[in-house]
Amino acid sequence: MTAPEAGRGIGIGAGAAETTTTFGFPRDTFRILHVSTGNVCRSPITERLTRHFVAERLGVLGGGLIVESAGTWGHEGAPMEANAEAVLAEFGADASGFFGRELLDEHVIRADLVLTATRDHRAQVISMGHSAGLRTFTLKEFTRLVRAIDPTTLPPLEDGVVMRARALVRAAAALRGWLLAPTAEADEVHDPYGAPLPFFRSVGGEIHQALDPVVTALTGVGTRT
């Protein structure tokens, strides 16, 4: 598997029927962009856990999924927080080669799915334009919507993980107005920046729990027991 940028993403895989997206990028890949504030705590954990889950379930067949992250006030070039690295290690995920990035227009343009830590981050991404509204969700919001989607209505993995992922985002966007969060806090992942390791573990656990059904829906493969 090859990455589009050093230390970023799961690489490039099988082709799809259409060759380019609206913005002219290849259709044989599906980019997931995780967004938080500094891109040194929450979004690095989410990025690397997503990569870990996809690799665990699909191996090289997950090569069409590219997983990245950035921060609305990104610490450009900074390593992730040591406690974030520790949490990833406890989950068996690779934290190496990570450097923080500030969120740029090009990141949003290229993304097929944007998952944010909070509603404020979601609003900031959508305010950048680029028709981002239908493909931008908070992580926990997307989890809630994905749980309501019948997996048998999605293309089978045999048709390619990229085709399946695109269909999942369309289905989630169609449900958004019907499945509201029970509380405002339900869609938030709180910032552990500067907190002790136990709080990072708590946040890591929240992210892990939210990501599991998302990756299951994306790949069509459940958690290995």
Side-chain angles (χ1 to χ4, degrees):
M1 295 184 287
T2 57
E5 302 171 22
R8 317 305 299 210
I10 284 179
I12 296 175
E18 296 171 276
T19 58
T20 60
T21 66
T22 303
F23 298 103
F25 295 107
R27 279 231 176 239
D28 62 351
T29 60
F30 182 91
R31 286 180 180 266
I32 302 171
L33 176 66
H34 293 291
V35 175
S36 61
T37 303
N39 194 213
V40 291
C41 298
R42 290 167 292 182
S43 51
I45 292 173
T46 317
E47 173 195 320
R48 294 308 176 94
L49 277 182
T50 304
R51 291 178 61 184
H52 178 66
F53 284 161
V54 171
E56 253 190 348
R57 298 177 197 197
L58 294 184
V60 295
L61 295 178
L65 299 179
I66 296 173
V67 186
E68 306 176 293
S69 63
T72 55
W73 290 89
H75 299 183
E76 189 73 32
M80 73 174 76
E81 287 286 292
N83 283 343
E85 287 191 20
V87 167
L88 286 171
E90 290 173 0
F91 284 121
D94 182 13
S96 65
F98 182 89
F99 297 98
R101 301 191 304 179
E102 183 175 357
L103 181 66
L104 303 176
D105 288 277
E106 67 189 67
H107 302 145
V108 177
I109 290 170
R110 296 171 72 180
D112 297 289
L113 172 62
V114 184
L115 297 176
T116 69
T118 69
R119 290 167 297 145
D120 283 346
H121 296 133
R122 182 185 63 194
Q124 289 179 66
V125 171
I126 293 172
S127 73
M128 295 171 74
H130 314 302
S131 303
L134 291 177
R135 51 196 167 91
T136 303
F137 310 80
T138 73
L139 171 61
K140 289 185 175 181
E141 173 192 21
F142 195 66
T143 302
R144 184 174 67 254
L145 298 173
V146 160
R147 288 184 185 277
I149 296 169
D150 181 353
T152 65
T153 64
L154 300 173
L157 187 57
E158 290 77 8
D159 289 348
V161 67
V162 171
M163 185 178 293
R164 184 181 176 91
R166 294 189 190 284
L168 182 67
V169 173
R170 290 193 298 269
L175 283 174
R176 177 146 49 186
W178 298 93
L179 291 175
L180 302 179
T183 66
E185 289 294 300
D187 281 344
E188 306 283 293
V189 177
H190 294 293
D191 193 355
Y193 185 72
L197 182 56
F199 189 71
F200 268 84
R201 285 194 179 114
S202 174
V203 169
E206 285 184 46
I207 291 170
H208 186 285
Q209 185 176 27
L211 274 178
D212 183 67
V214 170
V215 176
T216 295
L218 281 169
T219 64
V221 181
T223 307
R224 291 182 180 179
T225 56

